[in-house]
């Protein structure tokens, strides 16, 4: 029985790595000039200590699109993130979108790359600040060689730099 469970689990993990990724900027019309490339892992950063993503600045209402094929796992509201989406992408990576003005999709749907998922906003702890999309990527499969001695540096085995992921560096 355990051999079967291990085989099924192993096949599922392998399948996750076989799905193609497109990796494009998730805000329509945005470029690498719309975020500061050094904000990933910037500190000090509020109550979280370290900024574990990038903030892509755009006008409120700018379309937010899936940067690759995704399964939308959660849509809702969190105190810091405001209106948020959490989605699973290829290679077992979670994509987190925060501060959205609107969310256009429901949980459980499959999203194609470039499919609209919401609009840039200033919800959560971004109220009163310039509208932007906070975008983070967390790998469910750790990359231990990315960990380092910086503050919370062990978490870098899981949090990936979105700027590098988007092939913009």
């Amino acid at each position: 029985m355990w051999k079967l469970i291990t085989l099924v689990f192993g096949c599922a993990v392998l399948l996750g790595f076989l799905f193609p990724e497109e990796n494009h900027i998730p805000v329509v019309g945005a470029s690498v000039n719309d975020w500061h490339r050094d904000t990933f892992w910037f500190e000090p950063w509020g109550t979280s200590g370290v900024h574990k993503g990038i903030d892509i600045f755009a006008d409120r209402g700018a379309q937010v699109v899936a940067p690759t094929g995704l399964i939308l796992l959660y849509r809702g509201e969190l105190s810091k993130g405001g209106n948020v989406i959490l989605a699973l992408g290829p290679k077992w990576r979670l994509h987190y979108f925060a501060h959205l003005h609107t969310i256009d999709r429901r949980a459980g749907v499959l999203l194609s790359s470039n499919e609209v998922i919401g609009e840039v906003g200033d919800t959560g702890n971004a109220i009163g600040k310039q509208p932007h999309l906070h975008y983070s990527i967390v790998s469910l499969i750790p990359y231990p060689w990315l960990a380092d001695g910086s503050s919370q540096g062990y978490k870098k085995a899981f949090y990936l730099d979105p700027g590098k992921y988007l092939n913009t560096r």
Side-chain angles (χ1 to χ4, degrees), residues 25-78:
I25 298 171
V27 176
V28 173
S31 73
V32 296
N33 298 321
D34 293 312
W35 72 86
H36 192 287
R37 60 188 328 150
D38 295 329
T39 58
F40 176 74
W41 227 260
F42 184 83
E43 67 177 314
W45 198 272
T47 58
S48 62
V50 175
H51 193 242
K52 299 173 186 79
I54 60 173
D55 293 337
I56 304 171
F57 292 90
D59 292 333
R60 177 182 295 159
Q63 291 184 325
V64 175
V65 296
T68 189
L70 299 170
I71 300 170
L72 202 150
L73 301 175
Y74 174 80
R75 64 167 277 171
E77 190 172 337
L78 301 174

Side-chain angles (χ1 to χ4, degrees), residues 76-84 96 98-100 103 122-126:
E77 190 172 337
L78 301 174
S79 61
K80 289 183 184 181
N83 295 327
V84 301
Y96 175 72
H99 309 308
L100 296 164
I103 299 173
D122 60 353
T123 60
N125 63 7

Side-chain angles (χ1 to χ4, degrees), residues 5 10 19 39 47 62 69 81 119 147:
I5 291 171
F19 286 102
T39 58
T47 58
E119 296 177 344

